[in-house]
Amino acid sequence: MNHLFRSPRPPAAEAERLREVFTEAAYDVTPSAVPLAAIEREGRRRGRRRRTAVLGAACGALLVPLAVVVVLRDGTASGPGEHVRPPAASAGSTSPSPSAPAPAGKVRVVTPGERVRVAPGTKIWLTEDGKHWLEPGAPGAQFRSVTDGNLDMSTPGVSLQESGDGNSYFLSGIFHGKGEPARVEVKTVAGDRDGTALTLAGKPGWGVWYLVMKVPDSVTSANSVLGITKRVTVYDSAGGVIASQEFGQ
């Protein structure tokens, strides 16, 4: 009995056949188009993100010194953890002490017996019965009454006392009339000046005015030792005249 035997393929031939099969299958597959537009958009997006990150880092580097050191208005520097204090209030914003002179050209309400320094060594104070003042070289305090009848308090008026030591003069007096004083105008041989008024609380109907001024030698040489004041006028806040008096030379 004859048997037919099919000899097996050599291994090399089998491998070659497999390569041929895979090659034919690969030729039958059609590759898809490459998404070039999408790739380009993704590239631009990533580029923008990188630029933004770089810019943010640069800005952060610039801001770091500003956060570390703060320059104060007075020129000093404050580091981290320090508090920046606001500028202190100026000395001009504080209220004057009772012994301080009233600002020139102002009206000040004082308490009875409160001494106001108007010049070195010169003080004025008011009581309910009149004006008191003290000057350098004087033996004691001087007084002018508003109750002894020497002043006619029934009608508006202004009194005057003058003293001087060369070219500096202290002018003062009592004014009386209806209304609250707001301004004192003093006409002198050296020109017009703003005087200062002192009054007691409660509208007593009178007050004290004063002015300390320097007078050039050229002016005083043509006048007597005194006679510096020509006219004193006291005005209220509306510009009305409370009292006015002219003084002869």
Side-chain angles (χ1 to χ4, degrees):
M1 184 174 181
N2 294 328
H3 295 280
L4 298 176
F5 294 96
R6 182 176 295 176
S7 61
R9 293 184 179 181
E14 185 67 25
E16 182 65 26
R17 178 57 183 167
L18 289 174
R19 281 195 296 270
E20 293 177 357
V21 171
F22 287 136
T23 301
E24 292 176 356
Y27 282 130
D28 291 337
V29 177
T30 301
S32 60
V34 178
L36 296 178
I39 293 174
E40 183 178 0
R41 287 194 300 271
E42 180 65 18
R44 287 197 299 268
R45 184 180 65 83
R46 292 188 179 185
R48 285 194 298 269
R49 291 180 61 185
R50 284 196 297 269
R51 288 194 298 271
T52 302
V54 172
L55 180 59
C59 292
L62 291 175
L63 291 175
V64 166
L66 297 179
V68 172
V69 178
V70 177
V71 178
L72 304 182
R73 292 181 63 183
D74 60 1
T76 59
S78 171
E82 296 183 1
H83 297 285
V84 179
R85 294 178 298 177
S90 62
S93 62
T94 59
S95 300
S97 63
S99 61
K106 302 294 182 181
V107 175
R108 177 172 169 179
V109 178
V110 296
T111 58
E114 178 182 350
R115 299 198 175 195
V116 177
R117 181 173 59 86
V118 301
T122 303
K123 297 179 180 179
I124 297 178
W125 63 99
L126 280 62
T127 58
E128 294 181 355
D129 57 349
K131 166 198 173 189
H132 306 256
W133 74 99
L134 180 65
E135 296 183 72
Q142 303 180 66
F143 173 67
R144 185 67 187 272
S145 176
V146 295
T147 60
D148 62 0
N150 288 325
L151 294 176
D152 184 5
M153 304 296 290
S154 64
T155 60
V158 180
S159 69
L160 170 66
Q161 293 85 43
E162 289 185 344
S163 61
D165 57 355
N167 65 348
S168 180
Y169 288 85
F170 171 46
L171 318 175
S172 65
I174 295 175
F175 65 87
H176 46 93
K178 294 182 179 180
E180 296 185 17
R183 185 171 67 89
V184 179
E185 180 185 75
V186 183
K187 293 183 178 294
T188 73
V189 294
D192 296 349
R193 300 289 190 273
D194 288 330
T196 302
L198 303 176
T199 64
L200 295 172
K203 300 180 180 181
W206 66 275
V208 170
W209 69 272
Y210 72 85
L211 171 64
V212 177
M213 62 177 294
K214 292 185 177 297
V215 180
D217 293 337
S218 58
V219 175
T220 56
S221 61
N223 296 274
S224 61
V225 176
L226 300 181
I228 302 300
T229 308
K230 298 172 65 177
R231 174 179 287 275
V232 176
T233 304
V234 182
Y235 298 92
D236 60 20
S237 59
V241 175
I242 295 177
S244 182
Q245 184 67 48
E246 183 174 356
F247 301 96
Q249 300 185 28

